[in-house]
């Protein structure tokens, strides 16, 4: 990028780090003003905003031509290293939940670049700017308890680092503080038992060996997710193993999401293989098998006193399930299969929420088509589940737009039921890692422990910002899937490796990473 095309991402930690509120001429208001930087555009200080720099470099914050929706944008840039904050102080606010959103671009490389809400009555909340050359929306939510709040854009940057910011919002979500106690802070734990059985261990940040489930729970994880395979080659993730793990999850006071794959192995948008025992079934037999398999597992969980708290009928079913009979190009068949599974869930417990789960969490066009098909055929469901891996599925902004639209269009709450990010590009076994340098670039966050934590927090913040409280929470996919011999990706091949260990929440010394603490702070 040319130097003059710079992005405004960094900034808030500056004033915090120096323990002072940025001083400036702008008077306090009760609403955010000049959100598109059009008033006084092309000058250093846009109307309504103020600057602060601990190093006297307020000139690093200015407006210039090239806005996202108007003529101007806010930019942070300097030819030398700099620290600068652009902010508005708001007073006379009704106490309650507020969300700040901004469209941003950043060339990356800063020590810090973020959108922050501070001096609001509680802990400062931040959303880090991703490295991206396209306009991307980020968001951060806080609870105002003192009638005031400061919206800040902060950069602590090296020479030539830049950010652009435009179209900032600060919206009131409601007078009741966000239900953080009810926010789903979930983890998919499907490979944990096999890891433990093959010698996998887990340690707290100090190096003390701990029970993984207990450690997760103490760090705020309140929901476990378990996939169900029909007859897997390795004997894990079947009915019996799910019952065992469900008892452990419930024993930690966590809730349980059961994820039916309707397969003997992985089911995702690229493959939805029938269980071997079902391959010769007619369609009506297949539909009945979905019902009976779903009912059998859930009824057994209920009987042992560990009932499911939410159930997925299918996993990443963008192109349907139980191919070829249930592919999405024959949605009439797919609708019957989904309805059979949903009816089985309700037959066990009529109050258990049913989730339908798609991948590509930023793909609004596809998701509208898919859920229009499902709803027009009367498929019963309660929750929309999305997978959103930033490096595959797009920016946080695309996820935010899609969640907001789906929640409003279908009147259903949303869960990001799968997400993850890498903390390193190094490998811990012989299997090439899925998350590599190319995906790090696509994801916009560095492959570092802090980058992993920032990426997870950004997804949580987006979910919390879904209007009308319809963002239920987030599940991190396989945080305990570390590199352990015998616990590879292929259930039919004990010597297969693990391509996921650099996205686990435990490092290569088995110690918990900083991202684990995100669950207790969102």
């Amino acid at each position: 990028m040319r130097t003059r095309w710079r992005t405004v991402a960094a900034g808030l930690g500056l004033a915090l780090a120096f323990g002072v509120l940025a001083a400036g001429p702008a008077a306090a208001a009760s609403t955010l003003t000049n959100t598109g930087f059009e008033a006084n555009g092309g000058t250093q200080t846009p109307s309504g905003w103020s600057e602060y720099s601990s190093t006297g470099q307020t000139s690093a914050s200015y407006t210039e031509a090239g806005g996202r929706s108007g003529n101007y944008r806010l930019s942070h840039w300097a030819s030398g290293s700099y620290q600068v904050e652009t902010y508005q102080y708001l007073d006379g606010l009704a106490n309650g939940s507020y969300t700040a959103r901004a469209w941003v671009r950043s060339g990356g490389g800063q020590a810090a670049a973020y959108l922050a809400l501070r001096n609001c009555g509680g802990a400062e909340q931040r959303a880090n700017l991703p490295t991206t050359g396209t306009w991307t929306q980020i968001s951060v939510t806080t609870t105002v308890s003192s009638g005031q709040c400061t919206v800040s854009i902060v950069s602590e940057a090296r020479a030539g680092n830049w950010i652009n910011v435009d179209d900032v919002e600060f919206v009131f979500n409601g007078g009741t503080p966000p239900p953080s106690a009810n926010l789903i802070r979930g983890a998919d734990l499907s490979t944990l038992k096999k890891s433990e059985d093959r010698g996998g261990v887990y340690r707290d940040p100090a190096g003390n060996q701990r029970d993984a489930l207990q450690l997760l729970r103490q760090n705020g994880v309140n929901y476990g997710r378990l996939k169900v395979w029909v007859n897997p080659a390795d004997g894990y993730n079947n009915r019996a193993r799910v019952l065992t793990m469900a008892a452990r999850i419930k024993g930690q006071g966590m809730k349980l999401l059961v994820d039916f794959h309707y397969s003997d192995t992985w089911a995702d948008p690229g493959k939805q293989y029938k269980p071997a025992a079902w391959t010769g079934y007619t369609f009506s037999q297949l539909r009945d098998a979905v019902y009976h398999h779903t009912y059998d597992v859930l009824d057994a969980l209920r009987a042992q006193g560990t009932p499911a708290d939410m159930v997925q009928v299918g996993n990443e079913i963008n192109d349907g399930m139980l191919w070829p009979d249930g592919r999405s190009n024959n949605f009439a068949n797919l609708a019957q299969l989904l309805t059979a599974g949903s009816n089985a869930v309700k037959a066990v417990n009529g109050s258990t929420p049913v989730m339908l789960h798609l991948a590509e969490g930023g793909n609004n066009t596809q998701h509208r088509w898919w859920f229009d098909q499902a709803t027009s055929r009367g498929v019963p469901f309660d929750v929309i589940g999305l997978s959103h891996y930033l490096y595959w599925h797009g920016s946080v902004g695309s996820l935010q737009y899609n969640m907001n639209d789906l929640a409003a269009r279908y009147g259903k709450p949303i869960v990001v039921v799968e997400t993850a990010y890498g903390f390193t590009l190094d490998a811990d076994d012989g299997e090439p890692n899925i998350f590599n340098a190319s995906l790090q670039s696509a994801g916009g966050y560095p492959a570092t422990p802090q980058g992993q934590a920032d990426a997870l927090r950004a997804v949580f913040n987006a979910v919390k910002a879904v209007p009308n409280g319809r963002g239920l929470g987030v599940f991190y996919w396989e945080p305990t899937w570390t590199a352990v011999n015998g616990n590879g990706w292929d259930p039919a091949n004990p010597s297969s490796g693990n391509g996921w260990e650099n996205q686990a929440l435990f490092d290569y010394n088995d110690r918990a990473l900083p991202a684990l603490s995100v669950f207790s702070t969102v």
Side-chain angles (χ1 to χ4, degrees):
M1 303 292 171
R2 293 185 63 83
T3 333
R4 293 298 298 177
W5 193 72
R6 35 207 180 256
T7 315
V8 348
L12 285 165
L14 238 70
L16 179 66
F18 287 85
V20 294
L21 175 65
S30 59
T31 57
L32 202 65
T33 61
N34 197 16
T35 57
F37 305 101
E38 297 300 299
N40 280 9
T43 64
Q44 178 184 332
T45 306
S47 295
W49 296 86
S50 301
E51 297 101 7
Y52 170 80
S53 172
S54 63
T55 56
Q57 296 160 293
T58 55
S59 61
S61 171
Y62 55 91
T63 58
E64 62 180 346
R68 171 184 168 269
S69 59
N71 294 322
Y72 296 99
R73 67 193 183 207
L74 174 69
S75 292
H76 286 181
W77 177 88
S79 59
S81 60
Y82 64 95
Q83 295 174 315
V84 72
E85 173 183 10
T86 310
Y87 68 95
Q88 279 194 44
Y89 168 63
L90 304 175
D91 199 1
L93 300 172
N95 288 338
S97 171
Y98 288 80
T99 297
R101 300 184 183 93
W103 289 87
V104 302
R105 298 186 298 197
S106 174
Q110 300 93 341
Y114 52 94
L115 171 68
L117 296 176
R118 46 191 300 270
N119 305 315
C120 306
E124 176 176 323
Q125 301 297 318
R126 300 180 180 183
N128 290 296
L129 273 70
T131 301
T132 175
T134 60
W135 287 107
T136 298
Q137 191 179 49
I138 62 173
S139 64
V140 59
T141 297
T142 195
T143 299
V144 171
S145 59
S146 59
Q148 59 188 22
C149 195
T150 301
V151 180
S152 295
I153 300 152
V154 180
S155 294
E156 183 174 353
R158 299 173 178 87
N161 292 162
W162 58 266
I163 65 167
N164 304 140
V165 179
D166 205 357
D167 300 325
V168 184
E169 302 175 56
F170 184 70
V171 296
F172 181 50
N173 301 319
T176 302
S180 294
N182 298 322
L183 183 71
I184 292 174
R185 302 170 174 89
D188 191 305
L189 303 166
S190 299
T191 64
L192 176 58
K193 184 67 170 72
K194 188 174 181 180
S195 175
E196 293 171 332
D197 290 349
R198 300 296 187 273
V201 298
Y202 302 90
R203 305 180 189 278
D204 62 25
N208 303 302
Q209 186 171 335
R210 300 283 301 280
D211 176 83
L213 274 176
Q214 183 182 62
L215 186 57
L216 291 170
R217 184 69 187 101
Q218 289 177 351
N219 279 273
V221 175
N222 60 11
Y223 231 114
R225 180 182 188 236
L226 297 174
K227 67 173 172 273
V228 185
W229 288 341
V230 176
N231 187 24
D234 63 357
Y236 286 85
N237 301 299
N238 60 12
R239 177 183 183 274
R241 298 284 190 177
V242 167
L243 289 170
T244 298
M245 282 300 297
R248 289 182 59 191
I249 288 169
K250 292 282 190 167
Q252 290 294 331
M254 298 161 67
K255 291 186 176 182
L256 174 64
L257 168 61
V258 178
D259 172 18
F260 285 95
H261 282 222
Y262 303 109
S263 181
D264 294 334
T265 187
W266 303 101
D268 54 49
K271 53 189 175 295
Q272 296 278 340
Y273 305 132
K274 292 178 185 175
W278 300 6
T279 53
Y281 286 179
T282 65
F283 180 74
S284 61
Q285 290 173 324
L286 198 62
R287 183 183 60 217
D288 291 346
V290 168
Y291 182 94
H292 292 301
H293 170 63
T294 306
Y295 185 94
D296 177 59
V297 173
L298 297 179
D299 191 50
L301 286 166
R302 178 181 63 176
Q304 79 164 10
T306 59
D309 297 286
M310 190 181 299
V311 176
Q312 275 182 238
V313 176
N315 187 78
E316 295 189 331
I317 50 177
N318 303 55
D319 195 17
M321 66 187 200
L322 293 165
W323 290 352
D325 304 59
R327 292 197 86 145
S328 60
N329 61 4
N330 188 346
F331 219 102
N333 274 6
L334 176 57
Q336 291 185 60
L337 296 172
L338 295 173
T339 299
S342 181
N343 287 344
V345 175
K346 299 298 186 179
V348 175
N349 186 335
S351 65
T352 303
V354 172
M355 175 192 294
L356 299 182
H357 169 210
L358 303 185
E360 301 180 41
N363 192 340
N364 184 247
T365 300
Q366 182 196 64
H367 289 187
R368 274 187 165 219
W369 175 86
W370 198 99
F371 280 104
D372 282 354
Q373 295 291 320
T375 54
S376 69
R377 290 172 169 80
V379 176
F381 70 102
D382 307 295
V383 178
I384 293 172
L386 303 176
S387 293
H388 195 82
Y389 298 92
L390 295 170
Y391 47 80
W392 280 332
H393 299 151
S395 67
V396 174
S398 68
L399 171 65
Q400 186 79 72
Y401 178 85
N402 192 36
M403 290 191 297
N404 292 355
D405 181 67
L406 295 179
R409 185 176 179 87
Y410 304 105
K412 305 291 186 183
I414 308 279
V415 178
V416 172
V417 78
E418 291 187 25
T419 193
Y421 206 82
F423 67 89
T424 181
L425 296 179
D426 296 333
D428 200 28
D429 65 6
E431 182 77 18
N433 284 333
I434 292 170
F435 184 86
N436 55 24
S438 175
L439 292 186
Q440 173 188 227
S441 178
Y445 291 86
T448 63
Q450 188 59 50
Q452 181 188 55
D454 290 344
L456 177 57
R457 188 178 297 278
V459 174
F460 263 113
N461 285 340
V463 172
K464 290 174 67 176
V466 176
N468 300 313
R470 287 185 173 141
L472 295 187
V474 176
F475 285 80
Y476 195 93
W477 198 73
E478 294 288 9
T480 61
W481 198 7
T482 54
V484 175
N485 288 337
N487 190 23
W489 68 271
D490 186 354
N493 180 5
S495 64
S496 64
N498 175 5
W500 199 258
E501 77 270 14
N502 68 331
Q503 297 187 73
L505 297 186
F506 294 85
D507 68 16
Y508 295 166
N509 294 312
D510 307 314
R511 297 190 180 203
L513 287 158
L516 185 56
S517 67
V518 170
F519 292 92
S520 62
T521 57
V522 290

